[in-house]
Every structure is written in structure tokens, then in C-alpha cells.
Amino acid sequence: MENNLGLALGGGAVLGAAHIGVLKAIEEQKIEISAISGTSIGALVAAFHAFGNPYKDIQEMILHIGWSDISSFSLSKFGLMTNQKLEKLIHRHLGKVKIEDAEIPLCIVTTNINDGSKCVLEKGDLAQAVMASTCLPGVYQPIKLGNALLIDGGIVENVPISPLIELKVDKIIAVDLNTNKKYDAPNNIVELLINSFHYLLASAVESQSKEADVLIQPDLSEFNLYDVKQVDKLVQIGYETAIERIEHSSLLQ
């Protein structure tokens, strides 16, 4: 097995619980991750893992999170809601830490909505970076960082492989949550915006994922993007898919 292995965790709202199952498989197979990158919900899971949390602790945390724990209504002209509560959640579990303090080198992908450019955060306030990467456009108000106005990294790279290539890892495991996803009819404007956003992501993922050595694409077609009660099942499917892909790869050789 190569000693320099990167893990890229993609976006997908509540479907991100499947990432925890992938981490479970990686831990069980004693695969050492040398660098980790995340977009959107993948950024949140990547952040917790990079700061030393095993999959069980992350799962326990996710099980007790509802939309009201990370969202509240906003008066901003840029978004219906704010994810400011996410900052408090991260501070409660990890403290007021910086990205560069992570035990595993961590990259968080965001989009600078001022010019549409990709902004990969490898230094600075962790909570602000995760908030930015999870700012669904139109749903959450953007995060201002210097002159940049940052929103969800999925717009530019929903499966964040390129930051790991820049770090010159030997092999990359990438997790794509959207390729096999079907979408339920939205019940409100927030769900409509989330669906619309993820439709746009799906077309770009195939080209973004070509550089992965091991591509994990769990079949999440029976799940929706919003229901937090699905966590346990999503973890299990992420785990089963990851085990199958890892066993058929060269990672254990």
C-alpha cells in the first residue's frame, strides 16, 4: 500500500452521512490517510476527521444534528437563511481552531461568488471555512473572507480531487454522493433551491472524478437530500460500497 494517500469527500447535503461509512471502512482496513479534502457536507466530515475524530464520534454527532441546529432565518439580501449556528457546533466539538492545526493536512473547497473562481482554504479559521463551503447559493448567506464572498464549493468542484493532486499524494480515494441520486419533488423554496443546485453539480462530477484511483459512488437513489432520520442507513450503504471498492482496488496490496 502506498504511504501517501488522499481522501476527497464530495457534497450532497444529508447524503453526506455516507461519508461516515466510508471512514468506517477505511479505519477497519487500517488504511492511513495522509491528506483529506472536502466540499460542502464533505468539508464538515473531513474537518472532524482531520482533527482526530474516528467515524463513531462523527456519527454520534451527526445523529443529533437537525436543520434547526445549523440553520436560522436571515434578513440578508443574499440568502434566505444563515448557517451561523454551524460555527457554534464546530467550536463546541473542536474549539476555535485553524485549518493548518489539523492532525491530517486538510483542504476545504469554496467558491468565490465575486468572480466564480475556486478558493481552496488550507489555512485560517476552520469554522468559517466550513461555513463557506456549505453555503448553498440562495439558501444561505455567503461568508465574507477578505475581499472574497464565499459560497458552496460544489459549484466549482463537488468531488474535491484537485487539491489532493496539488499536494502530490500518490493515490486518491474519492467519494461521489450524487451520480446515482434521484430527486424528490420539492415541498418548499429551500428544497427547490437545493434540488436545482444538485442538478447542476451532477453534470460536472464525471469529469472531475477521472483522476481518482478509487472512486466510491454509493447508490443513494432511495434517499432524499433533507431527511436527517436517514443517517444510519446512509452510513451503512457508504460502508458497504467502500468495502467493496477497496477490496477490488490495489490499496490493500
Side-chain angles (χ1 to χ4, degrees), residues 107-177:
C107 303
I108 294 176
V109 176
T110 70
T111 303
N112 183 355
I113 200 60
N114 289 337
D115 57 12
S117 63
K118 177 166 58 183
C119 182
V120 179
L121 301 176
E122 300 177 71
K123 295 182 178 180
D125 186 271
L126 176 70
Q128 289 288 306
V130 173
M131 287 169 61
S133 189
T134 55
C135 273
L136 289 162
V139 177
Y140 293 124
Q141 64 185 56
I143 301 299
K144 186 170 177 56
L145 187 64
N147 293 323
L149 203 59
L150 302 179
I151 61 171
D152 199 299
I155 294 174
V156 288
E157 191 170 8
N158 198 46
V159 181
I161 293 173
S162 69
L164 300 176
I165 295 174
E166 291 294 320
L167 291 177
K168 301 187 185 305
V169 298
D170 297 315
K171 289 188 177 182
I172 295 172
I173 301 174
V175 187
D176 164 29
L177 304 176

Side-chain angles (χ1 to χ4, degrees), residues 33-213:
I33 299 300
S34 301
I36 187 167
S37 61
T39 295
S40 197
I41 185 62
L44 178 62
V45 176
F48 273 85
H49 189 64
F51 275 86
N53 289 272
Y55 84 88
K56 285 184 179 179
D57 291 351
I58 302 173
Q59 183 173 355
E60 182 66 20
M61 181 198 69
I62 294 292
L63 276 171
H64 294 94
I65 293 179
W67 285 105
S68 62
D69 296 309
I70 59 174
S71 309
S72 57
F73 287 105
S74 167
L75 298 176
S76 169
K77 62 182 179 181
F78 292 117
L80 299 172
M81 309 181 83
T82 174
N83 63 354
Q84 192 71 41
K85 289 182 179 180
L86 187 57
E87 180 178 50
K88 295 179 181 178
L89 177 76
I90 293 170
H91 287 169
R92 184 164 67 250
H93 288 276
L94 299 179
K96 296 182 179 181
V97 294
K98 295 185 180 298
I99 301 170
E100 60 267 32
D101 296 330
E103 296 177 19
I104 302 172
L106 171 65
C107 303
I108 294 176
V109 176
T110 70
T111 303
N112 183 355
I113 200 60
N114 289 337
D115 57 12
S117 63
K118 177 166 58 183
C119 182
V120 179
L121 301 176
E122 300 177 71
K123 295 182 178 180
D125 186 271
L126 176 70
Q128 289 288 306
V130 173
M131 287 169 61
S133 189
T134 55
C135 273
L136 289 162
V139 177
Y140 293 124
Q141 64 185 56
I143 301 299
K144 186 170 177 56
L145 187 64
N147 293 323
L149 203 59
L150 302 179
I151 61 171
D152 199 299
I155 294 174
V156 288
E157 191 170 8
N158 198 46
V159 181
I161 293 173
S162 69
L164 300 176
I165 295 174
E166 291 294 320
L167 291 177
K168 301 187 185 305
V169 298
D170 297 315
K171 289 188 177 182
I172 295 172
I173 301 174
V175 187
D176 164 29
L177 304 176
N178 289 284
T179 296
N180 298 315
K181 180 72 191 80
K182 296 178 182 178
Y183 296 87
D184 296 332
N187 294 309
N188 53 58
I189 187 171
V190 173
E191 292 183 4
L192 184 150
L193 288 168
I194 293 173
N195 274 14
S196 300
F197 179 63
H198 284 90
Y199 289 144
L200 294 174
L201 301 185
S203 61
V205 164
E206 184 176 355
S207 62
Q208 293 173 355
S209 302
K210 289 180 179 178
E211 298 294 330
D213 297 282

